[in-house]
């Protein structure tokens, strides 16, 4: 199997729906990873539709998820994100589509076979070298996918941290202003208590 991965980061406005189309064959296998990075509530509705409009996967008010689809028919499948339930907040969405397709050798075997099998190359066979290269490629692709997912988690955590920092700073300033107002009021009240309003005639 050959793995192909694509990622996207987009902003979904409030009360809106975005759909993405992907063409799949019966021999394909697709995994969709979703992550809400920013936005109030950190959730959206997620749906995958078949070429004839049937719902294959449908989830409501989710912040992340991993979904696998094995196509039963050839055609354009729809990946839909729905934020229509939100009236004020847009969402920042990261998603990755990992497509696994059967490996197709386009003359690769002939090229390798044409090189021959040298006897003095540390007794390695070309088939062993090719399998090692394929294994390295698969592991590098898997590492890239994991790093992309970790970057999405980091972006989400950073957004939550910055949002919490703003809230803490705001309420700290409000508390400080209230404390200053109470202190000034107390000073004024104490001075009024000891103020002698009687007039002395000379």
């Amino acid at each position: 199997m050959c793995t192909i991965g694509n990622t996207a980061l987009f902003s979904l406005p409030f009360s809106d729906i975005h759909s993405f189309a992907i063409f799949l064959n019966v021999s394909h296998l697709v995994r969709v990873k979703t992550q809400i990075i920013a936005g109030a509530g950190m959730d959206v509705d997620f749906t995958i539709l078949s070429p004839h409009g049937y719902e294959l996967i449908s989830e409501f008010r989710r912040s992340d998820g991993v979904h696998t689809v094995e196509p039963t028919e050839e055609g354009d499948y729809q990946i839909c994100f729905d934020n229509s339930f939100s009236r004020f907040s847009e969402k920042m969405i990261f998603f990755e589509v990992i497509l696994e397709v059967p490996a197709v050798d386009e003359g690769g075997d002939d090229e390798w076979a044409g090189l021959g099998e040298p006897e003095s190359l540390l007794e390695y066979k070309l088939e062993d070298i090719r399998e090692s290269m394929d294994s390295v490629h698969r592991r590098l692709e898997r590492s890239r996918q994991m790093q992309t997912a970790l970057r999405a988690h980091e972006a989400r955590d950073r957004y939550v941290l910055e949002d919490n920092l703003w809230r803490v700073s705001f309420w700290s300033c409000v508390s400080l202003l209230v404390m200053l107002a109470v202190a000034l009021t107390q000073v004024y009240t104490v001075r009024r208590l000891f103020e002698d309003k009687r007039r002395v005639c000379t």
Side-chain angles (χ1 to χ4, degrees):
M1 297 289 286
C2 178
T3 303
I4 303 172
N6 287 316
T7 60
L9 179 66
F10 71 98
S11 177
L12 180 61
F14 58 88
S15 302
D16 199 4
I17 301 174
H18 277 189
S19 297
F20 300 87
I22 180 172
F23 182 82
L24 297 176
N25 288 323
V26 178
S27 60
H28 293 168
L29 177 66
V30 65
R31 288 197 307 271
V32 181
K33 299 180 180 179
T34 60
Q35 177 81 43
I36 312 304
I37 295 178
M42 305 282 258
D43 55 359
V44 295
D45 296 341
F46 175 80
T47 308
I48 296 181
L49 302 176
S50 70
H52 290 92
Y54 299 111
E55 289 187 358
L56 302 178
I57 295 175
S58 183
E59 292 188 339
F60 302 97
R61 311 294 289 266
R62 292 294 300 271
S63 60
D64 57 10
V66 178
H67 315 281
T68 303
V69 176
E70 296 183 6
T72 56
E73 56 183 332
E74 182 178 305
D76 290 326
Y77 287 74
Q78 299 287 327
I79 301 172
C80 303
F81 297 91
D82 185 357
N83 193 30
S84 59
F85 60 85
S86 179
R87 300 300 179 190
F88 304 103
S89 175
E90 67 176 4
K91 309 291 172 62
M92 186 69 68
I93 301 175
F94 166 85
F95 75 99
E96 180 179 22
V97 178
I98 302 171
L99 183 63
E100 295 183 0
V101 298
V104 179
D105 293 331
E106 299 179 354
D109 292 336
D110 296 336
E111 293 177 4
W112 282 92
L115 293 175
E117 185 177 334
E119 298 178 358
S120 61
L121 191 57
L122 301 176
E123 299 181 356
Y124 277 107
K125 295 183 179 180
L126 294 177
E127 187 66 28
D128 295 335
I129 296 174
R130 182 168 54 181
E131 288 179 1
S132 299
M133 291 174 62
D134 291 341
S135 175
V136 169
H137 175 72
R138 286 193 300 269
R139 291 177 182 177
L140 286 174
E141 184 66 22
R142 180 63 181 162
S143 298
R144 185 193 65 79
Q145 293 169 3
M146 291 181 65
Q147 288 176 351
T148 303
L150 290 174
R151 279 198 301 269
H153 283 287
E154 185 215 350
R156 177 182 179 181
D157 293 341
R158 186 173 62 248
Y159 172 80
V160 172
L161 179 64
E162 291 174 352
D163 187 53
N164 289 340
L165 177 62
W166 182 88
R167 292 181 183 182
V168 170
S169 301
F170 173 77
W171 288 111
S172 297
C173 292
V174 170
S175 300
L176 180 61
L177 292 175
V178 170
M179 290 173 62
L180 288 174
V182 170
L184 292 175
T185 303
Q186 288 178 343
V187 170
Y188 177 75
T189 304
V190 171
R191 290 187 65 181
R192 289 289 302 271
L193 288 175
F194 291 98
E195 191 178 61
D196 189 4
K197 296 184 179 179
R198 292 176 299 175
R199 295 184 179 180
V200 178
C201 298
T202 59

